[in-house]
Amino acid sequence: MVTTSEQKRIPQHVAIIMDGNGRWAEMRGKERCEGHAAGVEAVRTTLGAALRRGVKYLTLYAFSTENWGRPAEEVDALMELFCRCVAGETPELRAQGVRIRMIGDRTRFSEGVQRALADAERATADCDRLTLVLALNYSSRDEIVRAVRALAGRAARGELAPASLDERTLAAALDTAAYPDPDLVIRTSGECRLSNFLLWQSSYAELLFTPVLWPDFSEEEFDRALEEYARRDRRFGLVR
Ligand code: FPP
């Protein structure tokens, strides 16, 4: 349970690498896709907990640019799952005040997936209780390359003086331009790496790795993560 004094230290933005769906399924003799389906339940639980705790931004790493290399059957099942969830959950999310946004290169998705995402973004555009950012066909390096390409284009057209380019210019060209940097990045399943997720944005994020597999990630786990975050001493390179 998060105590009153810790309420003051609720992270504004929590980002999660939802890992371990496949292992969760394999441990139960199930297909990997069943692990992803179970992972959707953990998304619902976590979103509910984030709303109750007053988190304003929740970013979920749902599909990386590298995930296209998985077996076609798994990729297809994931695409189907994203479409079904995003379309099916939009009315409830809207009712809860959740704004749905996406980061990543959406141009590689089928028209159907792109439409489902755009519809959900449009339908929830005026919601302001929590912004749920889905990282889909996302990787940091790809995001940075796309941003640099856009900036180089502006420079070539004479719209941007190279000497004026600074951190703010680059941050404003990233997919995440409209969101604050994550305060807390959680990765489930015991792997201790960032796997190309929000590398620029996580420069000063608190990192938390838990052995819990994503489908088992519960409200209690989320609270434990917030409690650990509240104990961290964030100095941003300064001294106390
Ligand atoms: C990583 O686990 C998980 C994924 C690549 C997919 C995550 C997707 C979901 C949880 C569904 C969420 C849906 C929405 C709408 C956000 P893994 O498969 O790499 O697990 P493993 O490392 O144990 O194999």
Side-chain angles (χ1 to χ4, degrees):
M1 193 58 204
V2 179
T3 63
T4 317
S5 63
E6 284 159 358
Q7 298 277 349
K8 295 190 197 100
R9 301 212 53 207
I10 294 289
Q12 182 186 26
H13 183 173
V14 177
I16 308 184
I17 303 173
M18 309 180 288
D19 197 11
N21 293 351
R23 275 164 282 170
W24 183 93
E26 281 155 19
M27 281 163 62
R28 288 163 178 75
K30 295 173 187 262
E31 297 292 324
R32 292 179 56 80
C33 296
E34 294 181 71
H36 298 315
V40 174
E41 204 44 55
V43 170
R44 283 197 194 96
T45 303
T46 304
L47 178 60
L51 279 165
R52 282 188 284 280
R53 302 292 171 256
V55 170
K56 298 300 289 181
Y57 296 86
L58 179 66
T59 298
L60 301 176
Y61 202 8
F63 194 85
S64 74
T65 54
E66 290 79 20
N67 287 155
W68 294 108
R70 294 190 175 204
E73 185 188 60
E74 185 174 343
V75 171
D76 291 348
L78 277 168
M79 293 302 138
E80 223 270 310
L81 196 61
F82 296 145
C83 266
R84 191 153 32 88
C85 288
V86 167
E89 305 275 335
T90 294
E92 176 59 21
L93 293 176
R94 185 175 157 70
Q96 291 180 314
V98 175
R99 179 170 67 137
I100 303 173
R101 305 292 299 160
M102 189 216 140
I103 55 170
D105 180 4
R106 64 179 81 200
T107 60
R108 191 166 168 187
F109 291 121
S110 69
E111 262 183 43
V113 175
Q114 290 191 44
R115 201 174 320 114
L117 291 167
D119 288 349
E121 286 179 325
R122 215 175 3 255
T124 59
D126 59 348
C127 297
D128 61 3
R129 195 169 157 214
L130 180 148
T131 298
L132 173 65
V133 182
L134 300 177
L136 290 165
N137 190 26
Y138 175 87
S139 80
S140 273
R141 288 181 178 183
D142 178 69
E143 176 191 36
I144 291 168
V145 167
R146 285 186 285 107
V148 169
R149 198 182 293 141
L151 293 172
R154 283 172 54 195
R157 291 191 297 275
E159 299 162 8
L160 176 75
S164 73
L165 203 155
D166 58 13
E167 288 187 16
R168 280 173 54 172
T169 327
L170 182 50
L174 296 173
D175 296 350
T176 51
Y179 320 121
D181 284 346
D183 301 294
L184 172 65
V185 175
I186 302 171
R187 183 176 187 146
T188 57
S189 93
E191 312 290 358
C192 300
R193 52 180 176 263
L194 289 175
S195 297
N196 226 343
F197 182 54
L198 300 180
L199 300 182
W200 170 279
Q201 299 85 344
S202 297
S203 295
Y204 283 98
E206 296 299 322
L207 308 182
L208 191 141
F209 302 100
T210 166
V212 172
L213 302 176
W214 176 248
D216 292 329
F217 195 76
S218 59
E219 181 146 7
E220 291 70 35
E221 284 299 328
F222 187 76
D223 274 351
R224 261 193 285 279
L226 294 201
E227 283 162 21
E228 168 67 26
Y229 172 82
R231 283 192 292 272
R232 301 271 179 100
D233 181 20
R234 303 187 78 192
R235 292 190 298 278
F236 300 93
L238 306 175
V239 288
R240 279 226 152 261

